[in-house]
Amino acid sequence: MVDIADRKPASSAAEPKERRPLPRWVITCISIACLLGLWEIFGRQVNPVFGSYPSAIAVAFWELARTGELWSALYESLRPFFAGYLLAVLLGVPIGLIIGRFRTAEAAFGIYVTAGYAMPLVALVPLLVLWMGLGFAVKASIVFLMALFPICINTWLGVIAVPKTLIEVGKSFVAPNHVILRRIVLPATLPYIMAGVRLAVGRAVVAMVIAEFFTTISGLGAIIINSANNFDTATMFVPIIVLMVMAIGLNSLIGYVERKVAPWQAEIAGRERE
Amino acid sequence: MGEVTFLDVSKRFALRVDGVLHHVQALDRVSFTVNDGEIVALIGPSGCGKTTALRVAMGLDFSTSGRVTVDGREVRGCGHDRGMVFQHAELLPWLSALQNVMFGLEMKGMRGGELRDTAEKYLDLVGLKESQNRRPHQLSGGMKQRVGIARALAIDPSVLLMDEPFGALDAQTRESLQAELLEIQARTGKTVIFVTHDLDEAVLIADRIIVMKGGRVHEIMTVPIARPRPDLGVVRGTAEFAETRYKVWRALHDQDTVVH
C-alpha cells in the first residue's frame, strides 16, 4: 500500500505533459525563413549576373511595384491565364467523366487524352500562332491545352476508381444513366477532380510564361525576358516568385473550395500522420 | 403482391484467374417460388450461387437462361417493385442519412414535402429519426444498415432483397436488427428474400430456408415456428429451433456434393 502511494505521485510527475504540436503554418514559416536566410548568405557571394538573393529581389520587387509595371504586367498575364484555366476545368471534368463512364467513349477518345497529356506543346506554339495570331486568344489556348489534360486524366481515373457497388445502388433504384453520372459518379470522383485541378495550376502557370515568351512578349514573361537581357537578375526573379506565390495562393483557394463542396471527404480521410 | 418465382434459372460466366479461363456455373436450373409476405432465406457455402440468385432477382445480374418473375412480370432489370439492401449498406457517403433515404424516393419520382415526410417516416421506422442529419461515417455499422433498410423500404417495394444484411455486424447489433427486421416485416407485410451464411439467422427469421450448393437448390425446408416471433430469445430455446437448425446443418454438410 505504502509503496503504491509513494510511487503514484512520482509516476504522474514523470508522465510527460501533453504538448501541443506546433501549428502547421508556424512550421512552414520557419522553413521559409531558413531558406531565405541561407539564400541571402550564399546568394551575396555570387556575381549578381549569375544569381541573386532575397533582399536584392525585394528591392527590385518594390521598384516594379512602385512604378506599377508589375501590376499591369500581372493583369495582362492573368487574363489569358484564367480564361484558359477555367475553360480547361469546365471542359476537362465532363470529358473525363464521360470517358471514364462509357466504354465506347473511352475506347474512342481515351487515347487522345493520354497522348495529349504528353504533347510537346512548345513545339506546337508556332502553329497555334499561325492559326490564332499573337494576342489573347493564342495565349489562352496554350494555357487551356496545358491545363486540360491533367484535369481530364485525373477525372477519368477517378471515375474508374468509383466503387461498383455505389453505382449498383443507383441502378437498383432505377436511376437513369445521367443521374448516376451526376449524383453518384461526380461526387465520388470529386477528390480526384480536385487533385487534377490542383496539378493543372502548375501546368497553367508554365504554359502562361511559355505563351508570353513565344507569342507577343508581354506581361510577366516580358519582365523576365527584358531583365534577363539586361543582366538584371534580381528583377528577373520578381515575376518568377510572384507566379510561384500566386500558384500557392490558388492551391489553397482550391483546397478551401474542396472543403466547401466536399466536406465529407476531409471528414473521412484521416489526417493522422506522423 | 410480392410473389417471386424462379423458373429454371441458370447463369454461367467466364472468370479469368491467374490467366486461366474458368467457366463458372453460378446458377444451375434454379426453380422455387416465394409467396407473398413470406420470408425466405438463401443459405449455402460461399460460391453456391445464393448472392447471384438474389442479384438476378434484383436485375443487377442477368440469367443465361430461365426467368425470374415478380407478381407474374418477368424481371428485365431493376425496378421499384424490388428494394435491395446491400451487404455493407452502401450508403452514399456525401449524403446524410435522411438524404440517402430520399435518394431512392427521388428516383421513384417523388418530390417536395411528401419526399421529406416519407423519408422521415421510414427513418423513424428503423429508429433513426434522431440521427437523420448524420453522414454515413458518423453512423455505426448497425445504424448504417438501418438506413440501408429504410432506403429500400421507403420506395414501398413488394419484395425486399437482402444480401447478407447483418453479416458485417457484431453479434449484439445483429440480434437486435434481426428482431427489428421481423417486426418491420410484420408491420409492412413485405416479401423478404435474404442471403445469409448464418444458420441461426436463417432459422430465426425465415419461414422457409433454401439450401443451395454448387449453383443448385439442394433442399427447401420449412421452419415449423409460427410467426410473429416477438421474442427471438424464446424461439432459440424451442425444440423446433434446435431441430430445424440441425436439419439445415445436416443439409449443408451432406456429402453428396463436394464442397470446396
Side-chain angles (χ1 to χ4, degrees), chain B residues 110-145:
Chain B
M110 196 182 277
R111 294 284 178 271
E114 191 193 5
L115 174 65
R116 205 190 157 85
D117 291 347
T118 312
E120 277 177 356
K121 188 181 107 190
Y122 280 94
L123 270 184
D124 196 22
L125 184 73
V126 296
L128 280 182
K129 198 161 193 167
E130 306 302 313
S131 313
Q132 65 176 30
N133 292 321
R134 293 205 206 168
R135 289 217 181 85
H137 71 278
Q138 297 164 324
L139 299 169
S140 69
M143 289 161 103
K144 276 185 217 172
Q145 200 49 285

PDB file of all heavy atoms in Angstrom, chain B residues 110-145:
ATOM      1  N   MET B 110     -40.653  10.949 -56.558  1.00  0.00           N
ATOM      2  CA  MET B 110     -41.306  11.714 -55.512  1.00  0.00           C
ATOM      3  C   MET B 110     -40.602  13.058 -55.329  1.00  0.00           C
ATOM      4  O   MET B 110     -39.388  13.151 -55.421  1.00  0.00           O
ATOM      5  CB  MET B 110     -41.296  10.927 -54.209  1.00  0.00           C
ATOM      6  CG  MET B 110     -42.275  11.447 -53.183  1.00  0.00           C
ATOM      7  SD  MET B 110     -42.173  10.512 -51.647  1.00  0.00           S
ATOM      8  CE  MET B 110     -43.204   9.112 -52.025  1.00  0.00           C
ATOM      9  N   ARG B 111     -41.368  14.125 -55.088  1.00  0.00           N
ATOM     10  CA  ARG B 111     -40.794  15.461 -54.948  1.00  0.00           C
ATOM     11  C   ARG B 111     -41.424  16.184 -53.766  1.00  0.00           C
ATOM     12  O   ARG B 111     -42.452  15.766 -53.248  1.00  0.00           O
ATOM     13  CB  ARG B 111     -41.050  16.292 -56.217  1.00  0.00           C
ATOM     14  CG  ARG B 111     -40.357  15.796 -57.475  1.00  0.00           C
ATOM     15  CD  ARG B 111     -38.873  16.135 -57.460  1.00  0.00           C
ATOM     16  NE  ARG B 111     -38.196  15.619 -58.653  1.00  0.00           N
ATOM     17  CZ  ARG B 111     -37.649  14.404 -58.738  1.00  0.00           C
ATOM     18  NH1 ARG B 111     -37.723  13.563 -57.724  1.00  0.00           N
ATOM     19  NH2 ARG B 111     -37.032  14.023 -59.837  1.00  0.00           N
ATOM     20  N   GLY B 112     -40.790  17.273 -53.381  1.00  0.00           N
ATOM     21  CA  GLY B 112     -41.395  18.226 -52.444  1.00  0.00           C
ATOM     22  C   GLY B 112     -41.545  17.720 -51.019  1.00  0.00           C
ATOM     23  O   GLY B 112     -40.733  16.931 -50.532  1.00  0.00           O
ATOM     24  N   GLY B 113     -42.577  18.190 -50.353  1.00  0.00           N
ATOM     25  CA  GLY B 113     -42.781  17.891 -48.939  1.00  0.00           C
ATOM     26  C   GLY B 113     -43.024  16.420 -48.685  1.00  0.00           C
ATOM     27  O   GLY B 113     -42.576  15.859 -47.687  1.00  0.00           O
ATOM     28  N   GLU B 114     -43.717  15.799 -49.620  1.00  0.00           N
ATOM     29  CA  GLU B 114     -44.025  14.378 -49.482  1.00  0.00           C
ATOM     30  C   GLU B 114     -42.740  13.563 -49.393  1.00  0.00           C
ATOM     31  O   GLU B 114     -42.630  12.604 -48.621  1.00  0.00           O
ATOM     32  CB  GLU B 114     -44.843  13.932 -50.711  1.00  0.00           C
ATOM     33  CG  GLU B 114     -45.445  12.558 -50.586  1.00  0.00           C
ATOM     34  CD  GLU B 114     -45.968  12.031 -51.917  1.00  0.00           C
ATOM     35  OE1 GLU B 114     -45.763  12.711 -52.944  1.00  0.00           O
ATOM     36  OE2 GLU B 114     -46.563  10.946 -51.926  1.00  0.00           O
ATOM     37  N   LEU B 115     -41.748  14.007 -50.176  1.00  0.00           N
ATOM     38  CA  LEU B 115     -40.453  13.325 -50.223  1.00  0.00           C
ATOM     39  C   LEU B 115     -39.819  13.280 -48.849  1.00  0.00           C
ATOM     40  O   LEU B 115     -39.430  12.227 -48.340  1.00  0.00           O
ATOM     41  CB  LEU B 115     -39.565  14.075 -51.222  1.00  0.00           C
ATOM     42  CG  LEU B 115     -38.114  13.658 -51.349  1.00  0.00           C
ATOM     43  CD1 LEU B 115     -38.008  12.257 -51.887  1.00  0.00           C
ATOM     44  CD2 LEU B 115     -37.379  14.630 -52.277  1.00  0.00           C
ATOM     45  N   ARG B 116     -39.722  14.445 -48.222  1.00  0.00           N
ATOM     46  CA  ARG B 116     -39.082  14.534 -46.925  1.00  0.00           C
ATOM     47  C   ARG B 116     -39.876  13.795 -45.858  1.00  0.00           C
ATOM     48  O   ARG B 116     -39.308  13.065 -45.044  1.00  0.00           O
ATOM     49  CB  ARG B 116     -38.944  16.020 -46.560  1.00  0.00           C
ATOM     50  CG  ARG B 116     -37.831  16.283 -45.603  1.00  0.00           C
ATOM     51  CD  ARG B 116     -37.884  17.705 -45.073  1.00  0.00           C
ATOM     52  NE  ARG B 116     -37.168  17.724 -43.813  1.00  0.00           N
ATOM     53  CZ  ARG B 116     -35.845  17.879 -43.731  1.00  0.00           C
ATOM     54  NH1 ARG B 116     -35.135  18.048 -44.812  1.00  0.00           N
ATOM     55  NH2 ARG B 116     -35.255  17.864 -42.556  1.00  0.00           N
ATOM     56  N   ASP B 117     -41.185  13.971 -45.902  1.00  0.00           N
ATOM     57  CA  ASP B 117     -42.038  13.314 -44.904  1.00  0.00           C
ATOM     58  C   ASP B 117     -41.893  11.803 -44.975  1.00  0.00           C
ATOM     59  O   ASP B 117     -41.772  11.129 -43.951  1.00  0.00           O
ATOM     60  CB  ASP B 117     -43.508  13.698 -45.134  1.00  0.00           C
ATOM     61  CG  ASP B 117     -43.751  15.177 -44.806  1.00  0.00           C
ATOM     62  OD1 ASP B 117     -42.855  15.782 -44.187  1.00  0.00           O
ATOM     63  OD2 ASP B 117     -44.817  15.699 -45.181  1.00  0.00           O
ATOM     64  N   THR B 118     -41.916  11.273 -46.209  1.00  0.00           N
ATOM     65  CA  THR B 118     -41.823   9.825 -46.367  1.00  0.00           C
ATOM     66  C   THR B 118     -40.476   9.318 -45.869  1.00  0.00           C
ATOM     67  O   THR B 118     -40.399   8.327 -45.150  1.00  0.00           O
ATOM     68  CB  THR B 118     -41.999   9.439 -47.851  1.00  0.00           C
ATOM     69  OG1 THR B 118     -43.141  10.119 -48.355  1.00  0.00           O
ATOM     70  CG2 THR B 118     -42.161   7.958 -48.012  1.00  0.00           C
ATOM     71  N   ALA B 119     -39.410  10.034 -46.232  1.00  0.00           N
ATOM     72  CA  ALA B 119     -38.071   9.620 -45.802  1.00  0.00           C
ATOM     73  C   ALA B 119     -37.985   9.624 -44.275  1.00  0.00           C
ATOM     74  O   ALA B 119     -37.453   8.692 -43.668  1.00  0.00           O
ATOM     75  CB  ALA B 119     -37.016  10.537 -46.414  1.00  0.00           C
ATOM     76  N   GLU B 120     -38.534  10.676 -43.678  1.00  0.00           N
ATOM     77  CA  GLU B 120     -38.502  10.759 -42.211  1.00  0.00           C
ATOM     78  C   GLU B 120     -39.289   9.625 -41.574  1.00  0.00           C
ATOM     79  O   GLU B 120     -38.883   9.050 -40.575  1.00  0.00           O
ATOM     80  CB  GLU B 120     -39.056  12.113 -41.746  1.00  0.00           C
ATOM     81  CG  GLU B 120     -38.004  13.206 -41.806  1.00  0.00           C
ATOM     82  CD  GLU B 120     -38.551  14.576 -41.417  1.00  0.00           C
ATOM     83  OE1 GLU B 120     -39.774  14.690 -41.164  1.00  0.00           O
ATOM     84  OE2 GLU B 120     -37.744  15.527 -41.384  1.00  0.00           O
ATOM     85  N   LYS B 121     -40.415   9.311 -42.197  1.00  0.00           N
ATOM     86  CA  LYS B 121     -41.260   8.243 -41.660  1.00  0.00           C
ATOM     87  C   LYS B 121     -40.491   6.916 -41.622  1.00  0.00           C
ATOM     88  O   LYS B 121     -40.534   6.191 -40.630  1.00  0.00           O
ATOM     89  CB  LYS B 121     -42.517   8.114 -42.540  1.00  0.00           C
ATOM     90  CG  LYS B 121     -43.571   7.179 -41.994  1.00  0.00           C
ATOM     91  CD  LYS B 121     -44.770   7.094 -42.936  1.00  0.00           C
ATOM     92  CE  LYS B 121     -44.800   5.765 -43.651  1.00  0.00           C
ATOM     93  NZ  LYS B 121     -45.775   5.715 -44.734  1.00  0.00           N
ATOM     94  N   TYR B 122     -39.768   6.640 -42.697  1.00  0.00           N
ATOM     95  CA  TYR B 122     -39.067   5.354 -42.743  1.00  0.00           C
ATOM     96  C   TYR B 122     -37.816   5.341 -41.860  1.00  0.00           C
ATOM     97  O   TYR B 122     -37.462   4.299 -41.313  1.00  0.00           O
ATOM     98  CB  TYR B 122     -38.744   4.969 -44.189  1.00  0.00           C
ATOM     99  CG  TYR B 122     -39.962   4.379 -44.866  1.00  0.00           C
ATOM    100  CD1 TYR B 122     -40.827   5.169 -45.611  1.00  0.00           C
ATOM    101  CD2 TYR B 122     -40.283   3.027 -44.701  1.00  0.00           C
ATOM    102  CE1 TYR B 122     -41.966   4.653 -46.194  1.00  0.00           C
ATOM    103  CE2 TYR B 122     -41.414   2.489 -45.269  1.00  0.00           C
ATOM    104  CZ  TYR B 122     -42.263   3.308 -46.025  1.00  0.00           C
ATOM    105  OH  TYR B 122     -43.393   2.775 -46.580  1.00  0.00           O
ATOM    106  N   LEU B 123     -37.180   6.498 -41.709  1.00  0.00           N
ATOM    107  CA  LEU B 123     -36.057   6.542 -40.764  1.00  0.00           C
ATOM    108  C   LEU B 123     -36.576   6.322 -39.348  1.00  0.00           C
ATOM    109  O   LEU B 123     -35.925   5.683 -38.523  1.00  0.00           O
ATOM    110  CB  LEU B 123     -35.343   7.896 -40.846  1.00  0.00           C
ATOM    111  CG  LEU B 123     -34.194   7.999 -41.833  1.00  0.00           C
ATOM    112  CD1 LEU B 123     -33.541   9.366 -41.716  1.00  0.00           C
ATOM    113  CD2 LEU B 123     -33.149   6.922 -41.596  1.00  0.00           C
ATOM    114  N   ASP B 124     -37.750   6.854 -39.091  1.00  0.00           N
ATOM    115  CA  ASP B 124     -38.375   6.659 -37.788  1.00  0.00           C
ATOM    116  C   ASP B 124     -38.681   5.175 -37.571  1.00  0.00           C
ATOM    117  O   ASP B 124     -38.467   4.630 -36.497  1.00  0.00           O
ATOM    118  CB  ASP B 124     -39.658   7.498 -37.739  1.00  0.00           C
ATOM    119  CG  ASP B 124     -40.160   7.666 -36.322  1.00  0.00           C
ATOM    120  OD1 ASP B 124     -39.323   7.522 -35.401  1.00  0.00           O
ATOM    121  OD2 ASP B 124     -41.357   7.939 -36.141  1.00  0.00           O
ATOM    122  N   LEU B 125     -39.129   4.526 -38.637  1.00  0.00           N
ATOM    123  CA  LEU B 125     -39.471   3.104 -38.568  1.00  0.00           C
ATOM    124  C   LEU B 125     -38.271   2.261 -38.128  1.00  0.00           C
ATOM    125  O   LEU B 125     -38.414   1.276 -37.413  1.00  0.00           O
ATOM    126  CB  LEU B 125     -39.971   2.634 -39.946  1.00  0.00           C
ATOM    127  CG  LEU B 125     -40.462   1.203 -40.082  1.00  0.00           C
ATOM    128  CD1 LEU B 125     -41.811   1.041 -39.404  1.00  0.00           C
ATOM    129  CD2 LEU B 125     -40.582   0.809 -41.551  1.00  0.00           C
ATOM    130  N   VAL B 126     -37.078   2.666 -38.570  1.00  0.00           N
ATOM    131  CA  VAL B 126     -35.888   1.904 -38.172  1.00  0.00           C
ATOM    132  C   VAL B 126     -35.196   2.542 -36.961  1.00  0.00           C
ATOM    133  O   VAL B 126     -34.080   2.183 -36.609  1.00  0.00           O
ATOM    134  CB  VAL B 126     -34.869   1.775 -39.341  1.00  0.00           C
ATOM    135  CG1 VAL B 126     -35.456   0.993 -40.480  1.00  0.00           C
ATOM    136  CG2 VAL B 126     -34.393   3.144 -39.804  1.00  0.00           C
ATOM    137  N   GLY B 127     -35.883   3.515 -36.334  1.00  0.00           N
ATOM    138  CA  GLY B 127     -35.387   4.079 -35.083  1.00  0.00           C
ATOM    139  C   GLY B 127     -34.244   5.051 -35.230  1.00  0.00           C
ATOM    140  O   GLY B 127     -33.404   5.167 -34.348  1.00  0.00           O
ATOM    141  N   LEU B 128     -34.200   5.774 -36.350  1.00  0.00           N
ATOM    142  CA  LEU B 128     -33.066   6.674 -36.570  1.00  0.00           C
ATOM    143  C   LEU B 128     -33.473   8.123 -36.778  1.00  0.00           C
ATOM    144  O   LEU B 128     -32.733   8.905 -37.354  1.00  0.00           O
ATOM    145  CB  LEU B 128     -32.252   6.206 -37.781  1.00  0.00           C
ATOM    146  CG  LEU B 128     -31.285   5.069 -37.523  1.00  0.00           C
ATOM    147  CD1 LEU B 128     -30.518   4.738 -38.783  1.00  0.00           C
ATOM    148  CD2 LEU B 128     -30.302   5.435 -36.420  1.00  0.00           C
ATOM    149  N   LYS B 129     -34.649   8.484 -36.274  1.00  0.00           N
ATOM    150  CA  LYS B 129     -35.110   9.849 -36.505  1.00  0.00           C
ATOM    151  C   LYS B 129     -34.133  10.872 -35.939  1.00  0.00           C
ATOM    152  O   LYS B 129     -33.873  11.917 -36.541  1.00  0.00           O
ATOM    153  CB  LYS B 129     -36.481  10.047 -35.856  1.00  0.00           C
ATOM    154  CG  LYS B 129     -37.185  11.254 -36.417  1.00  0.00           C
ATOM    155  CD  LYS B 129     -38.667  11.238 -36.165  1.00  0.00           C
ATOM    156  CE  LYS B 129     -39.310  12.314 -37.027  1.00  0.00           C
ATOM    157  NZ  LYS B 129     -40.735  12.200 -37.084  1.00  0.00           N
ATOM    158  N   GLU B 130     -33.557  10.536 -34.787  1.00  0.00           N
ATOM    159  CA  GLU B 130     -32.640  11.474 -34.114  1.00  0.00           C
ATOM    160  C   GLU B 130     -31.364  11.709 -34.941  1.00  0.00           C
ATOM    161  O   GLU B 130     -30.757  12.761 -34.859  1.00  0.00           O
ATOM    162  CB  GLU B 130     -32.235  10.935 -32.743  1.00  0.00           C
ATOM    163  CG  GLU B 130     -33.402  10.574 -31.838  1.00  0.00           C
ATOM    164  CD  GLU B 130     -34.326  11.750 -31.593  1.00  0.00           C
ATOM    165  OE1 GLU B 130     -33.811  12.833 -31.294  1.00  0.00           O
ATOM    166  OE2 GLU B 130     -35.561  11.577 -31.729  1.00  0.00           O
ATOM    167  N   SER B 131     -30.970  10.697 -35.697  1.00  0.00           N
ATOM    168  CA  SER B 131     -29.675  10.777 -36.386  1.00  0.00           C
ATOM    169  C   SER B 131     -29.807  11.098 -37.857  1.00  0.00           C
ATOM    170  O   SER B 131     -28.891  10.866 -38.636  1.00  0.00           O
ATOM    171  CB  SER B 131     -28.935   9.451 -36.230  1.00  0.00           C
ATOM    172  OG  SER B 131     -28.963   9.021 -34.907  1.00  0.00           O
ATOM    173  N   GLN B 132     -30.946  11.642 -38.249  1.00  0.00           N
ATOM    174  CA  GLN B 132     -31.211  11.792 -39.680  1.00  0.00           C
ATOM    175  C   GLN B 132     -30.239  12.706 -40.416  1.00  0.00           C
ATOM    176  O   GLN B 132     -30.068  12.590 -41.610  1.00  0.00           O
ATOM    177  CB  GLN B 132     -32.637  12.262 -39.915  1.00  0.00           C
ATOM    178  CG  GLN B 132     -32.936  13.648 -39.374  1.00  0.00           C
ATOM    179  CD  GLN B 132     -34.346  14.086 -39.717  1.00  0.00           C
ATOM    180  OE1 GLN B 132     -35.244  13.263 -39.839  1.00  0.00           O
ATOM    181  NE2 GLN B 132     -34.538  15.371 -39.895  1.00  0.00           N
ATOM    182  N   ASN B 133     -29.582  13.615 -39.670  1.00  0.00           N
ATOM    183  CA  ASN B 133     -28.680  14.537 -40.358  1.00  0.00           C
ATOM    184  C   ASN B 133     -27.231  14.087 -40.355  1.00  0.00           C
ATOM    185  O   ASN B 133     -26.359  14.780 -40.852  1.00  0.00           O
ATOM    186  CB  ASN B 133     -28.780  15.928 -39.735  1.00  0.00           C
ATOM    187  CG  ASN B 133     -30.133  16.547 -40.015  1.00  0.00           C
ATOM    188  OD1 ASN B 133     -30.669  16.387 -41.123  1.00  0.00           O
ATOM    189  ND2 ASN B 133     -30.715  17.203 -39.035  1.00  0.00           N
ATOM    190  N   ARG B 134     -26.979  12.917 -39.777  1.00  0.00           N
ATOM    191  CA  ARG B 134     -25.598  12.440 -39.758  1.00  0.00           C
ATOM    192  C   ARG B 134     -25.225  11.856 -41.109  1.00  0.00           C
ATOM    193  O   ARG B 134     -26.046  11.263 -41.794  1.00  0.00           O
ATOM    194  CB  ARG B 134     -25.446  11.339 -38.706  1.00  0.00           C
ATOM    195  CG  ARG B 134     -25.612  11.855 -37.305  1.00  0.00           C
ATOM    196  CD  ARG B 134     -24.867  10.945 -36.375  1.00  0.00           C
ATOM    197  NE  ARG B 134     -25.419  10.978 -35.036  1.00  0.00           N
ATOM    198  CZ  ARG B 134     -25.081  10.090 -34.106  1.00  0.00           C
ATOM    199  NH1 ARG B 134     -24.248   9.100 -34.397  1.00  0.00           N
ATOM    200  NH2 ARG B 134     -25.583  10.185 -32.907  1.00  0.00           N
ATOM    201  N   ARG B 135     -23.957  12.021 -41.439  1.00  0.00           N
ATOM    202  CA  ARG B 135     -23.453  11.372 -42.643  1.00  0.00           C
ATOM    203  C   ARG B 135     -23.042   9.953 -42.290  1.00  0.00           C
ATOM    204  O   ARG B 135     -22.763   9.657 -41.124  1.00  0.00           O
ATOM    205  CB  ARG B 135     -22.244  12.139 -43.177  1.00  0.00           C
ATOM    206  CG  ARG B 135     -22.641  13.470 -43.777  1.00  0.00           C
ATOM    207  CD  ARG B 135     -21.795  13.783 -44.988  1.00  0.00           C
ATOM    208  NE  ARG B 135     -22.176  15.083 -45.523  1.00  0.00           N
ATOM    209  CZ  ARG B 135     -21.669  16.228 -45.043  1.00  0.00           C
ATOM    210  NH1 ARG B 135     -20.775  16.206 -44.086  1.00  0.00           N
ATOM    211  NH2 ARG B 135     -22.064  17.373 -45.544  1.00  0.00           N
ATOM    212  N   PRO B 136     -22.961   9.074 -43.301  1.00  0.00           N
ATOM    213  CA  PRO B 136     -22.676   7.660 -43.028  1.00  0.00           C
ATOM    214  C   PRO B 136     -21.484   7.412 -42.098  1.00  0.00           C
ATOM    215  O   PRO B 136     -21.563   6.555 -41.220  1.00  0.00           O
ATOM    216  CB  PRO B 136     -22.427   7.082 -44.415  1.00  0.00           C
ATOM    217  CG  PRO B 136     -23.290   7.906 -45.304  1.00  0.00           C
ATOM    218  CD  PRO B 136     -23.275   9.293 -44.714  1.00  0.00           C
ATOM    219  N   HIS B 137     -20.388   8.177 -42.280  1.00  0.00           N
ATOM    220  CA  HIS B 137     -19.226   7.878 -41.440  1.00  0.00           C
ATOM    221  C   HIS B 137     -19.438   8.286 -39.998  1.00  0.00           C
ATOM    222  O   HIS B 137     -18.626   7.981 -39.141  1.00  0.00           O
ATOM    223  CB  HIS B 137     -17.967   8.546 -42.009  1.00  0.00           C
ATOM    224  CG  HIS B 137     -17.957  10.022 -41.859  1.00  0.00           C
ATOM    225  ND1 HIS B 137     -18.606  10.858 -42.733  1.00  0.00           N
ATOM    226  CD2 HIS B 137     -17.409  10.817 -40.916  1.00  0.00           C
ATOM    227  CE1 HIS B 137     -18.445  12.104 -42.327  1.00  0.00           C
ATOM    228  NE2 HIS B 137     -17.725  12.113 -41.241  1.00  0.00           N
ATOM    229  N   GLN B 138     -20.540   8.999 -39.737  1.00  0.00           N
ATOM    230  CA  GLN B 138     -20.860   9.358 -38.357  1.00  0.00           C
ATOM    231  C   GLN B 138     -21.844   8.373 -37.743  1.00  0.00           C
ATOM    232  O   GLN B 138     -22.343   8.584 -36.650  1.00  0.00           O
ATOM    233  CB  GLN B 138     -21.447  10.776 -38.313  1.00  0.00           C
ATOM    234  CG  GLN B 138     -20.456  11.842 -38.779  1.00  0.00           C
ATOM    235  CD  GLN B 138     -21.115  13.154 -39.107  1.00  0.00           C
ATOM    236  OE1 GLN B 138     -22.231  13.194 -39.626  1.00  0.00           O
ATOM    237  NE2 GLN B 138     -20.424  14.247 -38.838  1.00  0.00           N
ATOM    238  N   LEU B 139     -22.140   7.305 -38.505  1.00  0.00           N
ATOM    239  CA  LEU B 139     -23.076   6.285 -38.030  1.00  0.00           C
ATOM    240  C   LEU B 139     -22.318   4.988 -37.746  1.00  0.00           C
ATOM    241  O   LEU B 139     -21.327   4.687 -38.411  1.00  0.00           O
ATOM    242  CB  LEU B 139     -24.146   6.008 -39.089  1.00  0.00           C
ATOM    243  CG  LEU B 139     -25.047   7.171 -39.515  1.00  0.00           C
ATOM    244  CD1 LEU B 139     -25.852   6.775 -40.743  1.00  0.00           C
ATOM    245  CD2 LEU B 139     -25.978   7.584 -38.386  1.00  0.00           C
ATOM    246  N   SER B 140     -22.805   4.217 -36.774  1.00  0.00           N
ATOM    247  CA  SER B 140     -22.203   2.911 -36.515  1.00  0.00           C
ATOM    248  C   SER B 140     -22.632   1.939 -37.609  1.00  0.00           C
ATOM    249  O   SER B 140     -23.542   2.220 -38.386  1.00  0.00           O
ATOM    250  CB  SER B 140     -22.663   2.405 -35.159  1.00  0.00           C
ATOM    251  OG  SER B 140     -24.036   2.096 -35.220  1.00  0.00           O
ATOM    252  N   GLY B 141     -21.987   0.776 -37.651  1.00  0.00           N
ATOM    253  CA  GLY B 141     -22.315  -0.220 -38.672  1.00  0.00           C
ATOM    254  C   GLY B 141     -23.790  -0.598 -38.652  1.00  0.00           C
ATOM    255  O   GLY B 141     -24.436  -0.688 -39.696  1.00  0.00           O
ATOM    256  N   GLY B 142     -24.336  -0.788 -37.455  1.00  0.00           N
ATOM    257  CA  GLY B 142     -25.739  -1.161 -37.329  1.00  0.00           C
ATOM    258  C   GLY B 142     -26.663  -0.049 -37.808  1.00  0.00           C
ATOM    259  O   GLY B 142     -27.664  -0.302 -38.492  1.00  0.00           O
ATOM    260  N   MET B 143     -26.294   1.186 -37.478  1.00  0.00           N
ATOM    261  CA  MET B 143     -27.122   2.324 -37.907  1.00  0.00           C
ATOM    262  C   MET B 143     -27.096   2.463 -39.425  1.00  0.00           C
ATOM    263  O   MET B 143     -28.115   2.746 -40.054  1.00  0.00           O
ATOM    264  CB  MET B 143     -26.614   3.614 -37.252  1.00  0.00           C
ATOM    265  CG  MET B 143     -26.880   3.693 -35.756  1.00  0.00           C
ATOM    266  SD  MET B 143     -25.796   4.921 -34.997  1.00  0.00           S
ATOM    267  CE  MET B 143     -26.935   6.276 -34.772  1.00  0.00           C
ATOM    268  N   LYS B 144     -25.913   2.251 -40.008  1.00  0.00           N
ATOM    269  CA  LYS B 144     -25.814   2.339 -41.469  1.00  0.00           C
ATOM    270  C   LYS B 144     -26.757   1.338 -42.116  1.00  0.00           C
ATOM    271  O   LYS B 144     -27.477   1.662 -43.065  1.00  0.00           O
ATOM    272  CB  LYS B 144     -24.383   2.018 -41.920  1.00  0.00           C
ATOM    273  CG  LYS B 144     -23.452   3.176 -41.864  1.00  0.00           C
ATOM    274  CD  LYS B 144     -22.115   2.761 -42.455  1.00  0.00           C
ATOM    275  CE  LYS B 144     -21.015   3.419 -41.661  1.00  0.00           C
ATOM    276  NZ  LYS B 144     -19.692   2.999 -41.982  1.00  0.00           N
ATOM    277  N   GLN B 145     -26.746   0.117 -41.579  1.00  0.00           N
ATOM    278  CA  GLN B 145     -27.586  -0.900 -42.199  1.00  0.00           C
ATOM    279  C   GLN B 145     -29.060  -0.568 -41.991  1.00  0.00           C
ATOM    280  O   GLN B 145     -29.885  -0.861 -42.861  1.00  0.00           O
ATOM    281  CB  GLN B 145     -27.226  -2.287 -41.648  1.00  0.00           C
ATOM    282  CG  GLN B 145     -27.677  -3.437 -42.521  1.00  0.00           C
ATOM    283  CD  GLN B 145     -27.302  -3.308 -43.999  1.00  0.00           C
ATOM    284  OE1 GLN B 145     -27.910  -2.537 -44.739  1.00  0.00           O
ATOM    285  NE2 GLN B 145     -26.297  -4.053 -44.418  1.00  0.00           N
TER     286      GLN B 145
END
